[in-house]
Amino acid sequence: ALKVEMRPYTAGSDVLHLKVTSATQGAVATVIFSAIQDRFGRAIIEVRDQNTVPALRKERLMTVVHLFLIHRFKASSMHFLSPTEDNAAQIDRMKRFGIFVRSTSEVGQIIVADVNKDRVTELLKPEALTQLIKEGAGIEK
């Protein structure tokens, strides 16, 4: 059983810290992010840092966390600030699942990934989410 909590990263901050914990392992995943709106009213999630315990890295936990963030904040895109090679690989996998339509590397070490809202809605159905977690590659679009 996993528990999720989301709080400001520091008191009074717009930067949020999402932590997924397990009763047996403690913190198993964390994401430090901001939810902002652009001048056209589109919601954007800026991911500053994310981590998953090594034992769960290939279990799609971070993909499920990203789906939650996209759904919770109705995000049109996600911006990954100072991305690592792991971030780039994860974004590519999420494009294969249809979660992101496209991604581009921007000046200043940012990856911008545009969300496929219809696909996210489809994946949030319980049976599709279960299939994503269990079979991952079997649902690539």
Side-chain angles (χ1 to χ4, degrees):
L2 299 174
K3 180 181 172 186
V4 178
E5 68 179 46
M6 187 167 36
R7 298 176 180 215
Y9 187 61
T10 58
S13 174
D14 289 338
V15 177
L16 299 172
H17 181 216
L18 182 138
K19 180 168 59 171
V20 180
T21 57
S22 162
T24 58
Q25 295 179 299
V28 294
T30 61
V31 180
I32 298 170
F33 69 98
S34 297
I36 63 170
Q37 281 192 343
D38 68 8
R39 64 178 161 238
F40 303 109
R42 292 181 299 222
I44 298 168
I45 297 172
E46 294 179 335
V47 177
R48 295 164 186 243
D49 191 24
Q50 62 184 28
N51 293 294
T52 308
V53 295
L56 295 176
R57 289 227 168 107
K58 303 235 182 228
E59 301 298 323
R60 287 172 278 290
L61 176 60
M62 194 55 73
T63 300
V64 172
V65 169
H66 280 71
L67 283 170
F68 167 77
L69 290 173
I70 291 166
H71 176 69
R72 166 66 178 81
F73 293 99
K74 297 173 180 39
S76 297
S77 70
M78 294 186 79
H79 297 185
F80 295 82
L81 310 177
S82 300
T84 64
E85 289 179 19
D86 288 341
N87 295 135
Q90 177 192 18
I91 292 163
D92 284 342
R93 283 190 303 278
M94 291 174 72
K95 283 188 334 192
R96 287 196 312 265
F97 293 147
I99 297 167
F100 295 136
V101 178
R102 71 183 79 67
S103 65
T104 57
S105 294
E106 302 287 334
V107 175
Q109 297 230 1
I110 298 173
I111 297 176
V112 175
D114 295 324
V115 173
N116 181 345
K117 289 185 177 187
D118 292 336
R119 181 67 173 148
V120 168
T121 299
E122 180 182 320
L123 286 172
L124 289 173
K125 294 176 183 170
E127 61 279 355
L129 191 56
T130 300
Q131 183 180 359
L132 171 69
I133 294 166
K134 288 183 177 178
E135 302 170 15
I139 66 161
E140 292 180 16
K141 288 282 179 175

